[in-house]
Amino acid sequence: MITLESVTRTYGRFTAVDDVSFTASPGRVTGFLGPNGAGKSTTMRIIVGLTHATAGAATVSGRRYVDLPNPGLEVGVLLDASAQHAGRTGREILTISQRFMGLPRARVDEMLDLVGLSPEESSRRVRDYSLGMRQRLGLAAALIGDPTVLILDEPANGLDPAGIRWMRGLLRGFADRGGTVLLSSHLLHEIEVIADDLVVIGNGRIVAQGTKSDLLGAAGSMVRTSDRTTLAAALMADGVTSSYVGPDGLLAQADAEHVGRTAFAAGLPVLELRAADGTGLEEMFLQLTADTSREGALA
Amino acid sequence: MTTMAVPAVTHRRIPLSRIVTTELRKLLDTRSGFWTVAAIGIVSMLTTGAVILWAEREELTYRTFTTAISVPITLLLPIIAILSVTGEWSQRTGLTTFALVPHRGRIVLAKAIASVGVAVVAIPVAFAIGALGNVAGTAIAGVDPVWDLTATDLLLLVLANVLGVLIGFMLAVLIRSSAGALATYFVYAFVLPTIALVLAQSQDWFHDLQPWVDFDFAQNALMDGSVTGQQWTQLAVTGVIWLVVPLAVGLRAVVRAEVK
Ligand SMILES: Nc1ncnc2c1ncn2[C@@H]1O[C@H](COP(=O)(O)OP(=O)(O)O)[C@@H](O)[C@H]1O
Ligand SMILES: [Mg+2]
């Protein structure tokens, strides 16, 4: 289990991660979704103590990461598959992890086998690896300690379609055995196929979170209004749950008519209202991406 | 179906000894690391050969050999220490290292022990090569070998070289970039002593002060073989100024820095 409580990280006056709270639960794959620059990698580095949070706290299996006596045996971490000494062989890189963790030497071969790196490939220098091979090696290093938690930053980058399917199966199996998986991606479709839960981040802030079926489910309506907090409260009074989506959107678990009437009764102007056809998340995500790139153009 | 919800076993803390041996492995498992260590042996042999070829007969003593060998070694050993630290940033391996051992001070300590370990093994090997050179060189020249270094002299030379390694190490921790640390090391080892020398010759006030502020000057006492109590004190004082304090500053920065 991974828990974040109001984690914030600022760089000077720029807030890269802004009051982020979520839980990644055992037995589930939690997809951490957001456009480039949203703050996914910074959040993940904070979880494993490579970046210090300005405020808030993150725990893994109930403890701060730095307090884990031998972290590799509890948490498998893959943050950047390319962050390796290019002059070492794949086997040597795995051996270093195996040594640090104090594992039997045979684990190295088992892992190479598991991720499909042949003996010939594993004795090549990482300089000559494709990104896909580096990702496989990185997964091997994350799994070698037989952890119960996996933290993977964009692990599908560079994998071919067969590789992505293979990884999906691997992570599914890991979660089905009770493991916790937190994986990030900037591609909705990539994460849609594997995640059970979704945490969507944009500009450092969580913009939506919940189970995939809630967020992507056909039921419900997408509504935009001038004051979504009030509308959410009014819907709640009727027993209708809703979640924030995008900068001013609300995804309500009720049909459009119900939502429209509730908004009218609350005296709120409706800017947009339609049945959420499962593409609500996608649109929100596109909007987020557009916002980010607009800001990028201004910066 | 097996479940792995909450880890039932509590794992043992990674022992420092294992971090040291793993860091030692990392010193030697890259081409640059391996060849820097190998270069110590190779350069010692070349230097020994050069002494045999070109030294005057009466200069053909053990001290001549060890002094000549010491020059390249004082350059090579600190490079090993520097690359061991800066590689975590320049090659970005720190992302793995500090995730597996989140207490960064333990990694830094292990690297220091591993680098000093390489030095205390390599220096006697180099001096043994020098001893062989002394035997061979005097035999070729047809004179008796002169052994003008005591065990104490040799120990002091080892200590001087270990200090050199620690200086390189400190600069690496402080600067965390290979090029920057290497450049600063050369400033430390060559530029500052030269400035101090010129200053001491021209300024009386500095001449008296020098033993208490010039680390290199204080270390030279180790090369000369006999160290007085006052010289040990001067070594300690200058060591605190030029080694301990900047190392503490660097360590603080390493612990706080973001690894990415
Ligand atoms: N050291 C830093 N100094 C300033 N800004 C930073 C630093 N590290 C990250 N950022 C900024 O924080 C934001 C989030 O970055 P990141 O976590 O890498 O995003 P993601 O992984 O979602 O693409 C980006 O805008 C990035 O430029
Ligand atoms: Mg990223």
Side-chain angles (χ1 to χ4, degrees):
Chain A
M1 177 144 99
I2 303 167
T3 308
L4 281 86
E5 281 165 35
S6 303
V7 170
T8 297
R9 168 73 204 208
T10 57
Y11 294 104
R13 290 166 62 192
F14 175 72
T15 305
V17 176
D18 192 356
D19 197 24
V20 163
S21 303
F22 67 83
T23 299
S25 308
R28 299 182 75 83
V29 175
T30 302
F32 194 25
L33 180 67
N36 291 322
K40 304 180 296 294
S41 299
T42 307
T43 305
M44 289 177 140
R45 281 201 311 274
I46 289 172
I47 298 172
V48 302
L50 293 177
T51 293
H52 303 297
T54 310
T59 57
V60 182
S61 306
R63 277 167 298 173
R64 292 190 313 157
Y65 187 89
V66 288
D67 294 333
L68 301 176
N70 192 343
L73 302 184
E74 297 184 51
V75 190
V77 179
L78 172 56
L79 294 183
D80 186 343
S82 294
Q84 288 298 350
H85 195 298
R88 290 195 177 112
T89 65
R91 168 181 296 278
E92 178 61 23
I93 285 168
L94 267 192
T95 304
I96 291 170
S97 292
Q98 168 252 320
R99 291 286 176 102
F100 271 132
M101 294 180 212
L103 298 165
R105 207 182 298 174
R107 284 295 283 171
V108 172
D109 284 305
E110 285 171 37
M111 287 303 115
L112 288 169
D113 220 36
L114 177 74
V115 301
L117 285 172
S118 70
E120 192 271 323
E121 288 169 328
S122 70
S123 52
R124 249 186 255 160
R125 288 173 197 278
V126 166
R127 167 180 301 125
D128 303 320
Y129 276 28
S130 67
L131 180 55
M133 287 165 77
R134 287 174 201 213
Q135 294 285 24
R136 285 170 185 270
L137 181 67
L139 276 171
L143 290 166
I144 194 169
D146 196 18
T148 55
V149 177
L150 280 180
I151 297 175
L152 313 171
D153 195 2
E154 311 247 4
N157 276 4
L159 285 179
D160 53 26
I164 291 179
R165 168 179 285 187
W166 161 80
M167 188 188 67
R168 218 182 281 158
L170 187 103
L171 298 183
R172 183 77 267 154
F174 186 88
D176 287 346
R177 289 194 304 278
T180 305
V181 181
L182 176 66
L183 94 159
S184 73
S185 175
H186 63 281
L187 300 172
L188 174 61
H189 290 293
E190 195 175 274
I191 229 152
E192 224 181 315
V193 286
I194 165 118
D196 304 305
D197 297 326
L198 288 174
V199 176
V200 188
I201 186 169
N203 294 319
R205 248 175 304 222
I206 303 257
V207 292
Q209 61 175 311
T211 65
K212 182 174 66 180
S213 44
D214 273 3
L215 287 172
L216 292 178
S221 323
M222 264 296 294
V223 58
R224 284 174 53 233
T225 177
S226 58
D227 181 0
R228 62 175 170 185
T229 322
T230 309
L231 182 55
L235 286 165
M236 200 62 206
D238 277 354
V240 174
T241 58
S242 59
S243 47
Y244 292 162
V245 160
D248 59 356
L250 199 63
L251 180 64
Q253 301 303 316
D255 60 23
E257 184 185 339
H258 188 112
V259 174
R261 288 185 184 281
T262 310
F264 183 74
L268 290 168
V270 168
L271 308 177
E272 185 183 340
L273 175 59
R274 61 188 161 70
D277 47 5
T279 59
L281 189 65
E282 176 157 31
E283 280 186 19
M284 174 204 73
F285 191 60
L286 276 175
Q287 171 111 38
L288 262 183
T289 315
D291 285 351
T292 315
S293 40
R294 224 175 14 247
E295 275 175 28
L298 286 174
Chain B
M1 192 176 74
T2 57
T3 49
M4 45 179 159
V6 177
V9 280
T10 41
H11 300 287
R12 246 162 37 85
R13 181 174 154 98
I14 304 177
L16 183 65
S17 59
R18 204 161 74 214
I19 306 177
V20 172
T21 52
T22 309
E23 285 300 333
L24 197 56
R25 182 185 179 107
K26 284 164 67 181
L27 278 182
L28 303 170
D29 73 355
T30 62
R31 266 188 205 161
S32 54
F34 175 81
W35 284 109
T36 316
V37 174
I40 293 170
I42 296 166
V43 168
S44 300
M45 282 188 249
L46 291 178
T47 314
T48 302
V51 171
I52 293 175
L53 280 178
W54 290 303
E56 303 289 339
R57 266 182 186 208
E58 58 272 20
E59 283 176 6
L60 223 47
T61 73
Y62 189 41
R63 184 183 284 277
T64 309
F65 283 95
T66 55
T67 307
I69 289 172
S70 287
V71 175
I73 286 188
T74 38
L75 292 181
L76 289 171
L77 284 173
I79 291 178
I80 295 170
I82 287 172
L83 294 181
S84 145
V85 175
T86 56
E88 300 287 354
W89 275 268
S90 61
Q91 303 283 338
R92 302 183 56 228
T93 49
L95 231 51
T96 303
T97 310
F98 296 121
L100 291 179
V101 185
H103 291 275
R104 299 182 194 169
R106 303 184 83 207
I107 287 286
V108 173
L109 177 62
K111 283 180 187 292
I113 295 172
S115 303
V116 170
V118 168
V120 295
V121 171
I123 298 163
V125 169
F127 286 174
I129 293 171
L132 290 177
N134 193 27
V135 172
T138 48
I140 293 166
V143 295
D144 285 335
V146 182
W147 302 102
D148 50 353
L149 287 179
T150 64
T152 314
D153 291 336
L154 290 173
L155 276 180
L156 290 175
L157 281 174
V158 172
L159 177 62
N161 273 296
V162 167
L163 280 177
V165 169
L166 289 177
I167 291 169
F169 188 82
M170 173 276 289
L171 292 172
V173 170
L174 191 64
I175 296 168
R176 301 197 297 282
S177 118
S178 307
L182 286 172
T184 316
Y185 180 74
F186 289 121
V187 170
Y188 243 72
F190 301 108
V191 180
L192 285 183
T194 311
I195 294 173
L197 185 72
V198 172
L199 208 57
Q201 280 168 352
S202 58
Q203 306 283 328
D204 282 340
W205 63 267
F206 186 75
H207 188 268
D208 299 331
L209 188 64
Q210 189 180 20
W212 296 99
V213 294
D214 186 342
F215 196 23
D216 190 70
F217 186 89
Q219 287 176 73
N220 280 337
L222 298 174
M223 311 284 186
D224 298 338
S226 66
V227 188
T228 65
Q230 191 186 38
Q231 281 174 319
W232 280 120
T233 314
Q234 289 165 345
L235 190 62
V237 170
T238 53
V240 167
I241 300 171
W242 292 96
L243 183 60
V244 177
V245 170
L247 185 60
V249 172
L251 263 178
R252 205 176 125 93
V254 161
V255 169
R256 297 180 160 205
E258 178 171 47
V259 182
K260 58 192 302 184

